[in-house]
Amino acid sequence: MTGAASASFTADDYEARMERAARQAADAGLAGLLVAPGPDLVWLTGYTPTAVTERLTLLVLAPGREPVLVVPTLEAPDAERALGASALTLRDWTDGKDPYAATAALLDADGRFGISDNAWAMHLLGLQRTLPGTSYASLTEALPMLRAVKDAAELELLAAAGAAADAAFEEIRSVAFAGRRESDVAADLAGLLRRFGHSQVDFTIVASGPNGANPHHEVGDRVIERGDMVVLDFGGLRDGYGSDTSRTVHVGEPTDEERRVHDLVREAQEAGFRAVWPGAACQEVDRAARAVIEDAGYGEYFIHRTGHGIGVTTHEPPYMIEGEEQPLVPGMCFSVEPGVYLPGRFGVRIEDIVTVTGDGGRRLNNTAREMVIVD
């Protein structure tokens, strides 16, 4: 999450993000935010520690106060080089000293704080021992929309990641499938993602035949056969921002039922996309896609939510699921990925990343959604 992605943003961008996060914390009734190494820290400061160890690194954000990054002394030189470093104060601590005491001096003794989800338990417990009057809430629970609305530069990076994933699909559809293992095709996909600029490959699902009925199938040594439907779901990070797309191909000519189910999922995906509109609730996207599948009698075989957010991670809020009333806002990015999974037989999933615009939605994946026949 460093390098080219960081170069797309300035110190002013990171300062604005930290100020916005502190304001949102205050609006949520929090005394501040505590951000450990991980995607939130990268997004807020541009800083990724060389190695995440047992030594405490923690960004402290509080309304009306200058941001402070608590870091081990031996890592301070790297932290000073982060693009967002000019907008915060570094407070380093040396081995043998108590990092929790150093951090406690920055916190309200009886405050409630949001803390990033990937903070180590030993660090949270250390803070609680030092300041027993404090309490904590998961950052995702307290501020689920913190990173949800992307700015123009972020949208550009997400669009580039989507285009790279599309390029990988256009290449993979021309390779041989029949007679090869799922793991062989998955390796091809991973190589293509890297060739088209991905620095990190998070997943390459290749689920053939009956394995396609498992949405999160672990790639195995099953040999793909003629007559198989094959679900391809792949993505990762390019310049620090995520891609995630799914297409379902068929090896040789499909049956009438396979075509019918594929067309049904394509119609559901289109309905979900058409439901993307500023001010609409996230659940409306799920309802629109799900209704198409339920009306066709396959509702029990659509077994997951319709979508998830994407940004500096490939899965993040918001989520397109019944009960999520968060309104859609221009700049939000998320997947629309309905599916039908027939146990022991086959599955179909079609997925695009979509961003909310001022007058609807825009797809960041643009490969064919019609059934693709492969060899």
Side-chain angles (χ1 to χ4, degrees):
M1 296 184 201
T2 57
S6 298
S8 300
F9 306 110
T10 67
D12 289 343
D13 292 325
Y14 291 113
E15 182 176 14
R17 291 176 185 178
M18 286 187 276
E19 289 176 352
R20 173 153 55 104
R23 286 197 305 271
Q24 289 187 18
D27 292 344
L30 298 171
L33 303 179
L34 307 177
V35 184
D40 291 314
L41 186 63
V42 175
W43 184 78
L44 286 163
T45 69
Y47 175 53
T48 302
T50 304
V52 179
T53 70
E54 73 285 355
R55 294 184 175 94
L56 177 71
T57 295
L58 203 66
L59 174 67
V60 179
L61 297 176
R65 301 182 189 175
E66 185 176 22
V68 177
L69 182 62
V70 179
V71 294
T73 300
L74 76 170
E75 294 176 9
D78 287 340
E80 289 172 348
R81 288 192 289 270
L83 279 176
S86 62
L88 52 78
T89 296
L90 286 179
R91 180 166 297 186
D92 64 319
W93 61 276
T94 58
D95 286 352
K97 302 294 184 181
D98 184 351
Y100 307 115
T103 306
L106 306 170
L107 308 180
D108 294 340
D110 57 355
R112 180 168 178 77
F113 296 89
I115 187 164
S116 51
D117 296 16
N118 54 330
W120 286 22
M122 64 180 285
H123 296 322
L124 176 57
L125 294 171
L127 289 171
Q128 288 178 318
R129 283 194 302 270
T130 305
L131 290 176
T134 54
S135 60
Y136 303 87
S138 157
L139 190 53
T140 294
E141 178 183 335
L143 296 180
M145 295 299 113
L146 178 62
R147 304 194 320 253
V149 178
K150 275 63 179 180
D151 62 26
E154 290 182 292
L155 290 173
E156 184 178 337
L157 288 167
L158 283 162
D166 283 357
F169 176 72
E170 294 295 354
E171 291 277 341
I172 202 69
R173 60 186 287 180
S174 65
V175 309
F177 277 69
R180 302 177 69 212
R181 297 173 300 178
E182 292 175 341
S183 56
D184 295 330
V185 178
D188 288 344
L189 266 174
L192 288 167
L193 285 172
R194 292 190 176 95
R195 192 216 297 178
F196 291 113
H198 281 63
S199 60
Q200 178 176 315
V201 176
D202 287 347
F203 47 89
T204 51
I205 295 173
V206 178
S208 62
N211 290 338
N214 176 3
H216 282 175
H217 169 65
E218 286 286 338
V219 167
D221 290 331
R222 182 182 185 274
V223 175
I224 301 170
E225 302 173 355
R226 295 196 68 79
D228 278 348
M229 194 85 89
V230 185
V231 179
L232 305 173
D233 184 348
F234 51 96
L237 297 181
R238 182 185 186 277
D239 289 343
Y241 278 76
S243 68
D244 186 3
T245 189
S246 300
R247 294 293 186 263
T248 303
V249 303
H250 198 277
V251 186
E253 286 299 315
T255 65
D256 289 345
E257 181 189 22
E258 288 170 332
R259 281 196 180 276
R260 185 170 64 251
V261 173
H262 191 281
D263 286 346
L264 173 65
V265 174
R266 180 168 54 84
E267 291 168 13
Q269 207 269 348
E270 177 64 24
F273 172 69
R274 289 198 306 268
V276 175
W277 195 265
C282 290
Q283 66 183 0
E284 295 302 328
V285 178
D286 183 82
R287 288 174 176 176
R290 199 168 298 276
V292 173
I293 293 173
E294 288 179 344
D295 289 349
Y298 286 87
E300 66 182 292
Y301 304 113
F302 181 10
I303 56 177
H304 55 72
R305 65 196 175 203
T306 294
H308 58 81
I310 191 169
V312 293
T313 57
T314 50
H315 279 220
E316 62 185 46
Y319 299 105
M320 308 300 114
I321 186 63
E322 180 67 32
E324 179 51 80
E325 298 179 352
Q326 168 68 40
L328 297 179
V329 176
M332 283 183 175
C333 293
F334 48 84
S335 64
V336 178
E337 52 176 306
V340 168
Y341 308 94
L342 302 178
R345 301 182 62 205
F346 64 88
V348 176
R349 182 166 62 258
I350 300 172
E351 174 186 13
D352 294 328
I353 299 302
V354 173
T355 183
V356 185
T357 66
D359 58 359
R362 175 169 67 96
R363 299 180 193 267
L364 301 187
N365 295 107
N366 294 288
T367 54
R369 292 168 202 92
E370 294 76 21
M371 181 176 287
V372 169
I373 308 299
V374 297
D375 292 328

